[in-house]
Amino acid sequence: MMKNGHHVSSAPAATACSPEKRRRTVRVWCDGCYDMVHYGHSNQLRQAKAMGDYLIVGEISKHKGPPVFTQAERYKMVRAIKWVDEIVEGAPYVTTLETLDKYCCDFCVHGDDITLTVDGKDTYEEVKKSGRYRECKRTQGVSTTDLVGRMLLMTKAHHSNMGSSDYQQHTDNFGRGPKGHSPWTGVSQFLQTSQKIIQFASGKEPQPGDTIIYVAGAFDLFHIGHVDFLDAVSQLSEKPYVIVGLHFDQEVNRYKGKNYPIMNIHERTLSVLACRYVSEVVIGAPYAVTKDLLDHFKVDLVCHGKTEVFPDRDGSDPYAVPRKMGILRTVDSGNSLTTDVIVQRIIKNRLLFEARNQKKEAKEMAVIQAMKRREEDKAKERAQAVL
């Protein structure tokens, strides 16, 4: 399918790899259970794409616990990540040479954590032995466990201006067993850098003939509702240049309440930048869409979805200026999913998620201990060889 000049295929690849196809492109395979897609997943896919020319993502239907999103929602979320060229629905849990050959892939890429089968075997063992495995760095400071913990604990410690000590104390007890923590499942604080933003940003300036479209909001827990909205916005023009204004955490908390936003401003920035429909992000955009902002970015259209528009601090309409100028459009994405709905899905399945996290971490800790013993045995063997 074509999405604003981007081809994102979901058709099964040919079983035979032509010499011409292999000569033209380096094809990369990357797979996972992409439930609750976050910027950590996007960063993995960005790194994988950088290792080749064409990235095929296998979405594994088998899950480690209760899924938050439906299969259709997960497929659409992965397709919206700008580094993805093709998606394979219902990919096998264990990555085999047969799978790589079927989709004409030179190698597969996975993060530097461990994934295991039910009997404790490395799911990438076969491709590692054949030399068709590459590793990328896992994004520190984010995990699905962490995000679920924020939703359930209702703290604000993840907001960008607050310390993490009280949050860390709570999350230490969320879905964890008593015997140590896995470095892969465990929670750590995300640290934003300018380099990370540069890696995610398109770096493209508006071109003559582009329609510059401005949208603003929290875009919290960046999800399929946001994707459908941004997709609909980008369809308003043949050459859209979509700018997303992200509100600071304190502003979001003012109009959303509770412990929103679930993701802080740094995390939301990367999540939005990873979307193929987004050209630029304004970090800490003013809540009211002002004349200065519209002039600065030479905005042609301002769009808002069907969700409620909260008044500004003084009770005024934040869209009064573009409304008066006649450039405000209400866009119906056809998707009613909101961040609130996602949080309710999580809360409804709280016990199941806690059990999943305990089981996952226990398995990972067992692997770590086994690896440690193996290294100790090798060290002893080396010492004896020297003697």
Side-chain angles (χ1 to χ4, degrees):
M1 69 179 76
M2 291 296 295
K3 289 288 186 181
N4 300 315
H6 299 277
H7 181 74
V8 186
S9 172
S10 58
T15 53
C17 298
S18 66
E20 186 179 320
K21 182 180 286 186
R22 282 202 175 280
R23 191 164 55 246
R24 274 206 318 266
T25 58
V26 175
R27 293 165 66 88
V28 181
W29 173 272
C30 194
D31 55 29
C33 301
Y34 294 101
D35 192 30
M36 266 192 74
V37 172
H38 51 66
Y39 60 93
H41 297 124
S42 299
N43 194 36
Q44 177 201 21
L45 298 175
R46 179 192 66 79
Q47 293 178 80
K49 178 63 177 284
M51 296 182 192
D53 305 303
Y54 190 87
L55 178 62
I56 302 176
V57 177
E59 216 294 333
I60 299 170
S61 55
K62 176 182 176 182
H63 283 271
K64 297 165 279 191
V68 179
F69 295 101
T70 66
Q71 280 193 337
E73 288 171 336
R74 293 198 305 274
Y75 296 150
K76 192 181 284 189
M77 271 303 292
V78 176
R79 285 193 184 96
I81 297 172
K82 62 185 177 184
W83 298 286
V84 176
D85 295 298
E86 183 177 330
I87 183 170
V88 173
E89 301 178 359
Y93 187 71
V94 176
T95 306
T96 63
L97 293 174
E98 182 185 359
T99 299
L100 296 188
D101 291 341
K102 179 178 180 180
Y103 296 100
C104 306
C105 292
D106 297 88
F107 54 84
C108 73
V109 176
H110 187 66
D112 54 1
D113 54 341
I114 288 182
T115 55
L116 306 168
T117 62
V118 288
D119 53 357
K121 290 183 180 179
D122 184 351
T123 56
Y124 294 93
E125 184 177 3
E126 182 179 327
V127 291
K128 283 180 178 178
K129 285 181 178 178
S130 68
R132 293 172 68 180
Y133 175 85
R134 304 287 185 275
E135 204 162 81
C136 64
K137 288 288 183 184
R138 183 185 179 280
T139 306
Q140 294 298 317
V142 63
S143 68
T144 304
T145 306
D146 184 6
L147 297 175
V148 169
R150 296 181 195 182
M151 290 180 239
L152 296 175
L153 295 166
M154 298 301 288
T155 67
K156 298 181 185 179
H158 54 280
H159 290 181
S160 58
N161 71 333
M162 301 184 185
S164 62
S165 58
D166 59 334
Y167 174 59
Q168 191 71 44
Q169 184 178 354
H170 280 294
T171 48
D172 281 346
N173 297 321
F174 170 69
R176 305 296 174 83
K179 298 181 180 179
H181 302 324
S182 163
W184 304 307
T185 303
V187 178
S188 57
Q189 202 71 5
F190 172 68
L191 299 175
Q192 183 69 287
T193 63
S194 58
Q195 182 62 28
K196 188 62 65 185
I197 293 176
I198 290 168
Q199 289 170 343
F200 271 59
S202 69
K204 295 177 182 175
E205 297 284 340
Q207 300 301 307
D210 285 356
T211 301
I212 300 176
I213 306 173
Y214 181 77
V215 303
F219 291 88
D220 193 15
L221 282 180
F222 194 74
H223 54 72
I224 196 63
H226 299 132
V227 167
D228 282 342
F229 168 67
L230 292 169
D231 185 8
V233 166
S234 69
Q235 299 297 329
L236 296 176
S237 167
E238 286 188 11
K239 293 181 64 182
Y241 188 92
V242 178
I243 301 174
V244 176
L246 290 179
H247 301 142
F248 276 131
D249 297 345
Q250 290 67 46
E251 191 67 65
V252 175
N253 189 250
R254 175 188 70 80
Y255 63 80
K256 290 276 287 181
K258 298 179 183 177
N259 68 329
Y260 291 112
I262 304 299
M263 283 184 165
N264 66 43
I265 184 68
H266 307 301
E267 298 169 315
R268 290 184 283 124
T269 297
L270 296 185
S271 297
V272 174
L273 281 174
C275 179
R276 67 173 66 250
Y277 308 120
V278 175
S279 305
E280 181 63 288
V281 168
V282 180
I283 304 170
Y287 187 66
V289 182
T290 63
K291 183 73 163 57
D292 286 344
L293 183 147
L294 298 176
D295 290 344
H296 179 82
F297 292 107
K298 298 180 174 58
V299 175
D300 298 301
L301 278 177
V302 177
C303 295
H304 192 276
K306 302 285 281 186
T307 55
E308 181 183 0
V309 177
F310 297 93
D312 205 349
R313 293 175 185 272
D314 61 0
S316 62
D317 174 12
Y319 290 94
V321 172
R323 196 185 304 278
K324 188 176 180 181
M325 293 171 64
I327 62 171
L328 181 65
R329 301 284 185 276
T330 299
V331 176
D332 186 358
S333 67
N335 190 329
S336 60
L337 184 68
T338 64
T339 303
D340 285 319
V341 172
I342 296 170
V343 172
Q344 289 308 312
R345 288 183 187 181
I346 295 287
I347 291 173
K348 183 180 177 182
N349 290 301
R350 171 172 186 154
L351 294 178
L352 292 172
F353 278 109
E354 288 180 340
R356 181 196 74 169
N357 292 336
Q358 286 179 345
K359 184 177 179 181
K360 184 185 178 200
E361 185 152 27
K363 190 160 68 171
E364 288 174 352
M365 287 303 297
V367 172
I368 291 168
Q369 293 301 321
M371 291 168 64
K372 189 176 179 181
R373 284 194 298 271
R374 191 182 307 162
E375 287 301 315
E376 288 172 352
D377 291 342
K378 285 182 180 179
K380 287 179 183 177
E381 288 174 4
R382 285 194 296 266
Q384 287 174 352
V386 171
L387 294 174

